[in-house]
PDB file of all heavy atoms in Angstrom:
ATOM      1  N   ASP A 171       5.716   3.600  28.282  1.00  0.00           N
ATOM      2  CA  ASP A 171       4.695   4.543  28.819  1.00  0.00           C
ATOM      3  C   ASP A 171       5.310   5.988  28.672  1.00  0.00           C
ATOM      4  O   ASP A 171       6.327   6.308  29.253  1.00  0.00           O
ATOM      5  CB  ASP A 171       4.500   4.230  30.320  1.00  0.00           C
ATOM      6  CG  ASP A 171       3.720   5.256  31.030  1.00  0.00           C
ATOM      7  OD1 ASP A 171       3.159   6.167  30.442  1.00  0.00           O
ATOM      8  OD2 ASP A 171       3.575   5.038  32.288  1.00  0.00           O
ATOM      9  N   GLU A 203       5.492  13.719  34.262  1.00  0.00           N
ATOM     10  CA  GLU A 203       4.080  13.378  34.217  1.00  0.00           C
ATOM     11  C   GLU A 203       3.641  12.436  35.319  1.00  0.00           C
ATOM     12  O   GLU A 203       2.502  12.412  35.757  1.00  0.00           O
ATOM     13  CB  GLU A 203       3.800  12.750  32.851  1.00  0.00           C
ATOM     14  CG  GLU A 203       2.242  12.558  32.531  1.00  0.00           C
ATOM     15  CD  GLU A 203       1.773  11.187  32.926  1.00  0.00           C
ATOM     16  OE1 GLU A 203       2.593  10.319  33.449  1.00  0.00           O
ATOM     17  OE2 GLU A 203       0.584  10.836  32.711  1.00  0.00           O
ATOM     18  N   GLU A 204       4.553  11.641  35.830  1.00  0.00           N
ATOM     19  CA  GLU A 204       4.189  10.566  36.736  1.00  0.00           C
ATOM     20  C   GLU A 204       3.998  10.970  38.193  1.00  0.00           C
ATOM     21  O   GLU A 204       3.324  10.307  38.954  1.00  0.00           O
ATOM     22  CB  GLU A 204       5.280   9.491  36.660  1.00  0.00           C
ATOM     23  CG  GLU A 204       5.426   8.841  35.296  1.00  0.00           C
ATOM     24  CD  GLU A 204       4.281   7.882  34.866  1.00  0.00           C
ATOM     25  OE1 GLU A 204       3.291   7.799  35.630  1.00  0.00           O
ATOM     26  OE2 GLU A 204       4.442   7.195  33.829  1.00  0.00           O
ATOM     27  N   GLN A 270      -2.233   0.973  28.182  1.00  0.00           N
ATOM     28  CA  GLN A 270      -1.972   0.551  29.533  1.00  0.00           C
ATOM     29  C   GLN A 270      -3.081  -0.249  30.244  1.00  0.00           C
ATOM     30  O   GLN A 270      -3.165  -0.258  31.430  1.00  0.00           O
ATOM     31  CB  GLN A 270      -1.619   1.762  30.437  1.00  0.00           C
ATOM     32  CG  GLN A 270      -0.521   2.676  29.834  1.00  0.00           C
ATOM     33  CD  GLN A 270      -0.240   3.892  30.704  1.00  0.00           C
ATOM     34  OE1 GLN A 270      -0.906   4.925  30.644  1.00  0.00           O
ATOM     35  NE2 GLN A 270       0.767   3.726  31.619  1.00  0.00           N
ATOM     36  N   GLN A 290      -8.934  12.332  38.680  1.00  0.00           N
ATOM     37  CA  GLN A 290      -8.270  11.569  39.730  1.00  0.00           C
ATOM     38  C   GLN A 290      -7.831  12.567  40.926  1.00  0.00           C
ATOM     39  O   GLN A 290      -7.656  13.738  40.695  1.00  0.00           O
ATOM     40  CB  GLN A 290      -7.013  10.899  39.242  1.00  0.00           C
ATOM     41  CG  GLN A 290      -6.008  11.812  38.527  1.00  0.00           C
ATOM     42  CD  GLN A 290      -4.702  11.086  38.124  1.00  0.00           C
ATOM     43  OE1 GLN A 290      -3.859  10.775  39.068  1.00  0.00           O
ATOM     44  NE2 GLN A 290      -4.463  10.841  36.900  1.00  0.00           N
ATOM     45  N   ARG A 292      -5.045  12.572  44.191  1.00  0.00           N
ATOM     46  CA  ARG A 292      -3.952  11.907  44.848  1.00  0.00           C
ATOM     47  C   ARG A 292      -3.749  12.603  46.218  1.00  0.00           C
ATOM     48  O   ARG A 292      -3.696  13.860  46.245  1.00  0.00           O
ATOM     49  CB  ARG A 292      -2.616  11.961  44.016  1.00  0.00           C
ATOM     50  CG  ARG A 292      -2.764  11.158  42.763  1.00  0.00           C
ATOM     51  CD  ARG A 292      -1.454  11.009  42.024  1.00  0.00           C
ATOM     52  NE  ARG A 292      -1.647  10.704  40.667  1.00  0.00           N
ATOM     53  CZ  ARG A 292      -0.668  10.413  39.859  1.00  0.00           C
ATOM     54  NH1 ARG A 292       0.603  10.404  40.268  1.00  0.00           N
ATOM     55  NH2 ARG A 292      -0.888  10.112  38.559  1.00  0.00           N
ATOM     56  N   ASP A 362      -4.709   7.046  45.614  1.00  0.00           N
ATOM     57  CA  ASP A 362      -4.939   7.460  44.246  1.00  0.00           C
ATOM     58  C   ASP A 362      -6.364   6.962  43.944  1.00  0.00           C
ATOM     59  O   ASP A 362      -6.611   5.759  44.014  1.00  0.00           O
ATOM     60  CB  ASP A 362      -3.875   6.775  43.316  1.00  0.00           C
ATOM     61  CG  ASP A 362      -4.054   6.986  41.848  1.00  0.00           C
ATOM     62  OD1 ASP A 362      -5.195   6.915  41.365  1.00  0.00           O
ATOM     63  OD2 ASP A 362      -2.998   7.321  41.193  1.00  0.00           O
ATOM     64  N   ARG A 364      -9.852   7.263  41.317  1.00  0.00           N
ATOM     65  CA  ARG A 364     -10.251   7.721  39.928  1.00  0.00           C
ATOM     66  C   ARG A 364     -11.630   7.219  39.573  1.00  0.00           C
ATOM     67  O   ARG A 364     -12.042   6.074  39.909  1.00  0.00           O
ATOM     68  CB  ARG A 364      -9.266   7.164  38.886  1.00  0.00           C
ATOM     69  CG  ARG A 364      -7.782   7.526  39.276  1.00  0.00           C
ATOM     70  CD  ARG A 364      -6.858   7.102  38.162  1.00  0.00           C
ATOM     71  NE  ARG A 364      -5.491   7.191  38.630  1.00  0.00           N
ATOM     72  CZ  ARG A 364      -4.437   7.315  37.900  1.00  0.00           C
ATOM     73  NH1 ARG A 364      -4.567   7.427  36.593  1.00  0.00           N
ATOM     74  NH2 ARG A 364      -3.204   7.383  38.375  1.00  0.00           N
ATOM     75  N   GLY A 431      -8.296   5.519  31.722  1.00  0.00           N
ATOM     76  CA  GLY A 431      -8.219   5.516  33.186  1.00  0.00           C
ATOM     77  C   GLY A 431      -6.897   6.102  33.710  1.00  0.00           C
ATOM     78  O   GLY A 431      -6.761   6.463  34.877  1.00  0.00           O
ATOM     79  N   ALA A 432      -5.884   6.143  32.799  1.00  0.00           N
ATOM     80  CA  ALA A 432      -4.647   6.675  33.174  1.00  0.00           C
ATOM     81  C   ALA A 432      -4.690   8.226  32.951  1.00  0.00           C
ATOM     82  O   ALA A 432      -5.377   8.664  32.001  1.00  0.00           O
ATOM     83  CB  ALA A 432      -3.496   6.081  32.359  1.00  0.00           C
ATOM     84  N   GLY A 433      -3.888   9.030  33.700  1.00  0.00           N
ATOM     85  CA  GLY A 433      -3.822  10.421  33.435  1.00  0.00           C
ATOM     86  C   GLY A 433      -2.766  10.645  32.348  1.00  0.00           C
ATOM     87  O   GLY A 433      -1.881   9.812  32.121  1.00  0.00           O
ATOM     88  N   HIS A 458       3.404   0.116  33.664  1.00  0.00           N
ATOM     89  CA  HIS A 458       4.063   0.466  34.896  1.00  0.00           C
ATOM     90  C   HIS A 458       4.793  -0.750  35.457  1.00  0.00           C
ATOM     91  O   HIS A 458       4.863  -0.997  36.681  1.00  0.00           O
ATOM     92  CB  HIS A 458       3.020   1.043  35.984  1.00  0.00           C
ATOM     93  CG  HIS A 458       2.646   2.439  35.721  1.00  0.00           C
ATOM     94  ND1 HIS A 458       1.841   3.201  36.510  1.00  0.00           N
ATOM     95  CD2 HIS A 458       2.976   3.284  34.662  1.00  0.00           C
ATOM     96  CE1 HIS A 458       1.668   4.361  36.016  1.00  0.00           C
ATOM     97  NE2 HIS A 458       2.342   4.455  34.944  1.00  0.00           N
TER      98      HIS A 458
HETATM   99  C1  GLV B 613      -0.048   7.974  34.814  1.00  0.00           C
HETATM  100  O1  GLV B 613       0.740   7.079  34.587  1.00  0.00           O
HETATM  101  C2  GLV B 613      -1.104   7.783  35.740  1.00  0.00           C
HETATM  102  O2  GLV B 613      -0.827   7.369  36.879  1.00  0.00           O
HETATM  103  O3  GLV B 613      -2.224   7.970  35.377  1.00  0.00           O
END
Side-chain angles (χ1 to χ4, degrees):
D171 173 5
E203 186 267 1
E204 299 284 10
Q270 307 180 275
Q290 54 172 291
R292 297 190 197 186
D362 177 314
R364 308 184 190 204
H458 283 185

